[in-house]
Amino acid sequence: MTKLNSFRLIKGERIIDAKGGDVLERGAILLQGDKIISIGREEDVIPPEGSQVEEIVYENKTVLPGLVDCHVHLNGIGDGRKGDQLNLLPDEILTLQAAKNARTHLFSGVTTVRDCGAKNSTTLRLREAVEMGITVAPKLVLAGRPMAIIGGHLWWFGIQATGPNECRAHVRQLVKEGVDFIKITASGGSTGTSVPLRPSFNLEEMNAIVDEAHKFGKHTAAHCTNSQSMINALDAGIDTIIHGVYNEPDGDRSYRPDITERIVDQGVFLNPTIHQSRERIWQLEEKSQNQKLNPEEVEELNTTKEGHEQRIEEVSKMWEAGVKIVCGSDSAWANYKMGRFQADINSHISIGMSPMEAILSATNLSAQSCCIDDQVGTLEVGKNADILVVEGDPSKNIDDLWNIVDIYQDGNLIDRGNYI
Amino acid sequence: MVQKNDFKLIKCGNLIDCTGNAPVKNGAILLESSKIKSIGHESNVIPPEGASIKVYDYSKYTVMPGMVDCHTHNNGFGDGRLGEELNLLADEILTLQSIRNLRASLFSGVTTIRENGPKNFTLINLKKASNDYMVLTPRMLICGRPLSIIGGHMGYFGSEVTGIDEVRAETRNLIKQGADYIKITATGGSTQTSFRYRHSFNLDELNAITSEARKFGKLTATHCVSTQGIVNSIKSDVDMIIHCMFNEPDGSNKFRPEIVDDLFNKGTYINPTLHVVRATIWDLLNIKERIGLTGSQEKLLDDRKRDFDIHLNNCTKMIDSGLKFITGSDSSWSSYQSGNTVYETECLNMAGLSNMASLLSVTKEAAKSLDIDDLVGTLEIGKEADLLVLNSNPLEDISNLWDVKDVFLAGRYIDRGSEKSLKSIRQLRPSLN
Ligand SMILES: [Zn+2]
Ligand SMILES: [Zn+2]
């Protein structure tokens, strides 16, 4: 563990502070304990006189903030199984899986995650275990159980609420248990009993949830796979829209510039989860190289591809319109295993982001959307020393984010070989 | 997961198969998937023609079976906390602690553990996750929960029962839930509401449990820290006696040779758990060196030292009488942390087992005591390829069991991670005596 009065000087060929400016050539960061106390050009970062300083030099490497994945499901297995099956596992197993995912994500360079829905108290227990030193994890921003209607998306994780009163009571219960934000499934989804093309909660219920959450200083994020659910979420004053798919009740998919405009005007974050479907496309394409796909798989590949292309088109328009797009993988939901957040960051290039903009969407902006930007997301004086060191220059080639050299969490160098 | 027709050739400078035979120089083991296909001098171990074979060259090392630890508490922390405190933690947390302990054991060379007392469904569910390859663990034989009387030792873990109907019902429940054997606390113990110098279950209850377990082909093991528990266990045909301490109701220790004769005649396995007593002594010595001891701690230290000496002495007599001693660490109970099983084997060595007998106590004999010697415990054709590769020879010095180079579980090479994290597993011997 870092001692409070220990100084460390990290020097890098390039530093991306993720504040939106240029890459800092030959920069340095001075850490005291778990915090950044100075950052700038090498010659401008001077440790206090007479202090003992450990110096770490990263030649030809890039230093940037630890990644912030604003959408994970730590309970997930990412092997294609449906949530309807996943939730049948006992809490002990889901907690074990959460610990495994958390470790994998941390070792892949993600130092903060926001969990957007887990069963019962599993993720809250994981955090307790981290605090006890039993296991390691990124910083955890937790929803605990998601708010769902009866039969709604993710209902089996533990909450089915009806009416403003019940909604408020559940929010209070979650806040009492220590959650950091409230996740709402504002539309149906992959849950078998839910209706993906229709909104779930009525507006008065959405209002009650968001209002109650904001009262306690907790932010809100809504899963929306159709246009009406987005409108409801926006009416209720939501902070993040997840997925944000423009579906009409009849299944018609037509882009709604009016809704996009509201998202921009209200300053709402959009987490488009673009890569989730592409991961499946990649899997099926890889499989097809070695063996013949069965007819169901061919069908799945075609429809997934079609949907993915529409998605790119929609989100590109939203990006162009000025929506604050944040990177959140949605792993380990569906087929997307954890430890591969970089693939979702890469997907932001396909909607027109520059590599630097994609980095910002997975650090600074993502941290803002998780309301944890006072601690992480950029490399600035006073923030926690969550730092990623990679080979190459991801501001030119985004896939250099895969080339992890070192990871620091709160100033501690992570031992990525620690399997205990 | 192991592929079909996946062959590995393990070259062994010094091959100890733990059948009791002399080691073989320049040995070799051929693995097919998870099993041993052929074993012996390297000139006799011929891989099938044309097969693709991965070769592991351990010609400068000792290869032996993975260790079998007959007694573990994976919920525990081994930091001296009482079971009563441990038991207050949420099941999810106990489960996460368990997987950490299990990995520590596996990385230290223990490829099979028996679990002797976890809370609720923690190990039952963890074992399911292990069977589905969601988590990496040693092979596990679990009791589910220990059977206890009301207020008895470890009753807080969830199975307090009274009377022959209830004990039978709970035995059936445990078996239904996936218990591999039945653990019974036949005397009190460290649990504060229990009476360590008295037996817990009445003989009719104990008989009901063991007969029910036997009916389903399940073994039984009793925790006995006082003499009447041992006597009752013998009468009930219990398969393994844990601790096996000869304490009288007044707290005095009185070795009972006639009971030892009975144990010999029954062929009961003895798991003496010497080091768990010494671990407390070491804990106190560490505190003494760091900050000094209070008067009551000094007294506790003296008491524990005396307990250890008496028990060690009794163990020597039992070994001399030919009782079957096996290694079961009792970690992470009390102050004994998982991944340190070898300390217990060293204690058995100190009590009088030869180096070979000590080695067998944590391999072949341990596997026999768990009735899994058809699978593991020795390196023989047809058995599972659980291998421990050591830098030095444990037959020269049993402490060389610490000197682990590599571990294989079911034919699979185990990536044990960084040296730094492996080092953190070992509990250090105090410098004071
Ligand atoms: Zn999600
Ligand atoms: Zn025990």
Side-chain angles (χ1 to χ4, degrees):
Chain A
M1 292 295 111
T2 40
K3 294 191 199 78
L4 275 178
N5 48 7
S6 73
F7 291 96
R8 257 154 327 144
L9 187 65
I10 294 177
K11 292 181 174 177
E13 189 80 23
R14 284 166 296 276
I15 292 184
I16 297 173
D17 64 9
K19 284 161 70 183
D22 291 336
V23 175
L24 182 65
E25 305 287 341
R26 301 220 68 86
I29 311 169
L30 184 64
L31 313 185
Q32 183 177 13
D34 59 351
K35 294 269 191 297
I36 297 171
I37 60 164
S38 174
I39 176 167
R41 294 185 163 283
E42 236 180 64
E43 57 271 24
D44 299 334
V45 178
I46 319 283
E49 227 167 296
S51 60
Q52 275 225 326
V53 182
E54 184 194 346
E55 194 174 303
I56 308 137
V57 182
Y58 291 109
E59 299 276 3
N60 301 316
K61 315 266 188 292
T62 303
V63 179
L64 69 158
L67 303 174
V68 180
D69 187 344
C70 72
H71 184 168
V72 299
H73 294 280
L74 290 166
N75 281 171
I77 298 174
D79 62 353
R81 87 178 66 186
K82 290 256 193 283
D84 292 339
Q85 256 77 54
L86 181 74
N87 83 89
L88 300 175
L89 293 170
D91 289 7
E92 291 91 337
I93 295 189
L94 292 172
T95 310
L96 286 170
Q97 181 63 20
K100 186 175 165 185
N101 280 333
R103 179 188 301 252
T104 305
H105 234 39
L106 176 62
F107 290 180
S108 77
V110 180
T111 48
T112 301
V113 299
R114 180 171 67 177
D115 187 277
C116 289
K119 196 177 173 197
N120 297 338
S121 305
T122 52
T123 48
L124 292 160
R125 295 300 188 210
L126 173 66
R127 174 152 67 194
E128 254 179 82
V130 172
E131 283 161 4
M132 291 169 70
I134 294 174
T135 188
V136 294
K139 284 192 180 60
L140 299 169
V141 180
L142 302 177
R145 305 175 289 283
M147 297 286 301
I149 64 162
I150 291 174
H153 186 41
L154 310 186
W155 69 266
W156 16 246
F157 278 162
I159 293 178
Q160 301 183 87
T162 312
N165 257 347
E166 258 187 52
C167 287
R168 281 189 199 272
H170 277 289
V171 171
R172 289 176 190 175
Q173 179 63 36
L174 288 168
V175 170
K176 176 185 166 196
E177 289 177 34
V179 305
D180 304 297
F181 78 107
I182 302 296
K183 161 77 183 280
I184 312 159
T185 57
S187 72
S190 57
T191 300
T193 51
S194 74
V195 188
L197 298 179
R198 307 277 172 157
S200 57
F201 287 109
N202 297 336
L203 183 56
E204 53 171 1
E205 293 166 317
M206 290 293 292
N207 279 331
I209 297 168
V210 174
D211 178 58
E212 199 66 25
H214 285 169
K215 185 172 85 185
F216 296 111
K218 307 292 179 188
H219 69 281
T220 55
H223 158 105
C224 301
T225 55
N226 60 62
S227 298
Q228 187 58 48
S229 62
M230 281 195 261
I231 292 168
N232 289 356
L234 288 164
D235 284 349
I238 204 82
D239 304 290
T240 292
I241 288 180
I242 295 169
H243 310 305
V245 189
Y246 291 96
N247 280 314
E248 297 299 322
D250 60 2
D252 193 39
R253 195 153 170 177
S254 53
Y255 180 67
R256 293 272 301 268
D258 56 318
I259 297 179
T260 300
E261 208 180 304
R262 283 194 64 187
I263 295 175
V264 176
D265 290 348
Q266 289 185 215
V268 171
F269 293 98
L270 175 79
N271 163 216
T273 65
I274 300 171
H275 181 70
Q276 177 65 267
S277 56
R278 188 174 64 167
E279 182 79 1
R280 184 61 183 154
I281 294 169
W282 287 0
Q283 284 168 4
L284 288 169
E285 281 176 344
E286 195 188 314
K287 193 173 174 190
S288 72
Q289 308 212 313
N290 307 314
Q291 63 193 97
K292 209 166 139 35
L293 297 181
N294 64 39
E296 292 85 53
E297 286 169 331
V298 173
E299 167 75 13
E300 188 190 353
L301 180 57
N302 289 336
T303 52
T304 311
K305 264 185 169 167
E306 203 181 304
H308 183 68
E309 275 154 29
Q310 273 177 315
R311 194 82 199 114
I312 299 275
E313 212 175 291
E314 281 168 359
V315 182
S316 302
K317 286 182 194 157
M318 294 169 96
W319 169 242
E320 225 166 278
V323 172
K324 293 192 287 188
I325 292 181
V326 288
C327 206
S329 63
D330 204 8
S331 60
W333 203 248
N335 293 285
Y336 192 176
K337 286 197 173 7
M338 293 194 83
R340 298 176 43 72
F341 182 43
Q342 284 86 341
D344 198 47
I345 304 176
N346 169 295
S347 78
H348 282 189
I349 303 294
S350 57
I351 58 160
M353 285 190 189
S354 70
M356 188 58 112
E357 286 165 338
I359 291 170
L360 258 56
S361 78
T363 53
N364 184 349
L365 277 168
S366 185
Q368 282 183 39
S369 78
C370 297
C371 295
I372 195 173
D373 52 312
D374 56 328
Q375 295 173 48
V376 303
T378 59
L379 301 178
E380 289 182 73
V381 173
K383 288 212 182 177
N384 287 48
D386 285 3
I387 296 170
L388 179 58
V389 183
V390 298
E391 202 77 59
D393 182 0
S395 74
K396 295 206 169 69
N397 174 19
I398 195 70
D399 287 330
D400 282 344
L401 286 176
W402 290 101
N403 307 324
I404 309 279
V405 177
D406 273 332
I407 303 163
Y408 294 83
Q409 185 186 35
D410 296 321
N412 290 310
L413 177 65
I414 300 289
D415 176 8
R416 289 186 290 142
N418 181 4
Y419 301 156
I420 295 294
Chain B
M1 260 147 288
V2 183
Q3 301 282 310
K4 263 218 160 128
N5 296 320
D6 146 37
F7 289 97
K8 295 190 184 85
L9 184 68
I10 315 280
K11 294 187 172 180
C12 320
N14 179 37
L15 172 57
I16 308 175
D17 66 11
C18 286
T19 58
N21 293 335
V24 174
K25 297 288 161 208
N26 302 318
I29 314 171
L30 181 68
L31 315 184
E32 183 178 9
S33 301
S34 72
K35 289 206 172 355
I36 297 173
K37 174 113 174 131
S38 167
I39 181 167
H41 189 270
E42 60 183 1
S43 57
N44 298 326
V45 178
I46 317 288
E49 232 167 290
S52 83
I53 292 151
K54 187 161 168 55
V55 178
Y56 290 86
D57 188 354
Y58 295 122
S59 47
K60 291 197 169 63
Y61 302 93
T62 292
V63 179
M64 60 172 275
M67 292 186 278
V68 178
D69 186 338
C70 294
H71 183 170
T72 61
H73 295 277
N74 291 289
N75 282 179
F77 285 77
D79 60 358
R81 81 180 73 185
L82 287 172
E84 278 89 347
E85 294 169 77
L86 181 68
N87 161 63
L88 299 176
L89 296 173
D91 289 4
E92 293 92 336
I93 302 224
L94 294 172
T95 308
L96 291 175
Q97 176 63 12
S98 298
I99 188 65
R100 184 176 172 225
N101 282 329
L102 288 161
R103 281 196 294 256
S105 284
L106 177 61
F107 294 171
S108 75
V110 174
T111 49
T112 302
I113 62 98
R114 185 193 244 188
E115 161 64 58
N116 288 46
K119 195 179 172 193
N120 295 343
F121 286 80
T122 53
L123 262 288
I124 288 170
N125 283 329
L126 198 155
K127 189 174 174 181
K128 280 183 195 150
S130 177
N131 289 344
D132 290 345
Y133 300 101
M134 290 174 68
V135 289
L136 176 66
T137 70
R139 292 174 201 282
M140 281 193 276
L141 298 165
I142 60 173
C143 67
R145 293 173 296 281
L147 287 177
S148 162
I149 64 163
I150 291 174
H153 187 41
M154 297 188 176
Y156 41 65
F157 282 154
S159 288
E160 285 183 337
V161 278
T162 313
I164 57 172
D165 285 344
E166 261 187 47
V167 301
R168 276 191 204 280
E170 190 62 358
T171 304
R172 289 173 190 174
N173 268 325
L174 289 168
I175 292 170
K176 174 188 171 197
Q177 290 160 10
D180 299 296
Y181 81 104
I182 302 298
K183 158 81 185 274
I184 309 149
T185 57
T187 69
S190 57
T191 301
Q192 283 166 330
T193 52
S194 74
F195 293 76
R196 59 182 303 133
Y197 299 130
R198 308 275 169 156
H199 64 286
S200 58
F201 286 110
N202 297 336
L203 190 55
D204 61 344
E205 293 167 313
L206 200 56
N207 277 330
I209 299 168
T210 55
S211 64
E212 199 66 25
R214 215 170 297 119
K215 186 170 85 185
F216 296 110
K218 305 294 181 189
L219 296 177
T220 53
T222 49
H223 157 104
C224 300
V225 293
S226 45
T227 309
Q228 190 58 44
I230 305 173
V231 171
N232 289 355
S233 298
I234 293 169
K235 287 184 182 151
S236 291
D237 286 326
V238 164
D239 302 293
M240 184 188 293
I241 308 262
I242 298 163
H243 310 303
C244 203
M245 291 175 172
F246 292 95
N247 289 314
E248 297 293 322
D250 63 3
S252 65
N253 192 282
K254 206 163 112 205
F255 187 69
R256 298 273 292 273
E258 77 283 11
I259 295 177
V260 172
D261 286 346
D262 288 343
L263 289 167
F264 179 83
N265 292 331
K266 290 263 182 190
T268 313
Y269 284 95
I270 310 295
N271 164 215
T273 68
L274 278 156
H275 182 71
V276 73
V277 183
R278 192 172 60 162
T280 303
I281 297 171
W282 285 7
D283 234 17
L284 289 163
L285 288 172
N286 280 327
I287 298 169
K288 185 171 182 170
E289 192 179 9
R290 252 191 1 259
I291 51 172
L293 294 181
T294 64
S296 62
Q297 283 174 320
E298 277 289 1
K299 184 175 177 317
L300 186 64
L301 177 60
D302 287 342
D303 287 351
R304 288 289 166 272
K305 279 182 166 172
R306 200 197 56 233
D307 291 347
F308 182 75
D309 290 341
I310 290 171
H311 192 40
L312 182 66
N313 199 269
N314 287 346
C315 285
T316 302
K317 290 187 221 163
M318 286 189 270
I319 288 170
D320 289 345
S321 309
L323 294 198
K324 298 196 279 193
F325 266 49
I326 41 102
T327 294
S329 63
D330 209 1
S331 61
S332 287
W333 200 251
S334 194
S335 297
Y336 192 173
Q337 290 170 6
S338 293
N340 289 272
T341 300
V342 176
Y343 279 132
E344 177 66 10
T345 311
E346 287 176 343
C347 282
L348 300 189
N349 193 245
M350 192 169 30
L353 290 188
S354 68
N355 285 355
M356 181 57 105
S358 302
L359 200 56
L360 299 189
S361 82
V362 70
T363 54
K364 181 189 182 182
E365 292 303 318
K368 273 165 81 174
S369 78
L370 306 183
D371 200 19
I372 48 167
D373 50 317
D374 55 331
L375 275 183
V376 300
T378 61
L379 300 179
E380 294 175 273
I381 291 174
K383 291 215 181 173
E384 289 287 301
D386 293 355
L387 309 178
L388 177 55
V389 184
L390 299 170
N391 292 307
S392 47
N393 185 353
L395 290 175
E396 280 162 18
D397 181 346
I398 200 69
S399 299
N400 289 338
L401 282 171
W402 290 109
D403 210 0
V404 177
K405 171 160 179 61
D406 280 328
V407 177
F408 290 75
L409 177 66
R412 172 181 168 199
Y413 173 86
I414 299 298
D415 182 355
R416 302 184 301 139
S418 69
E419 278 301 319
K420 190 180 156 209
S421 71
L422 290 177
K423 259 199 169 146
S424 72
I425 296 173
R426 176 90 177 257
Q427 284 181 292
L428 295 178
R429 199 180 270 269
S431 42
L432 294 179
N433 261 312

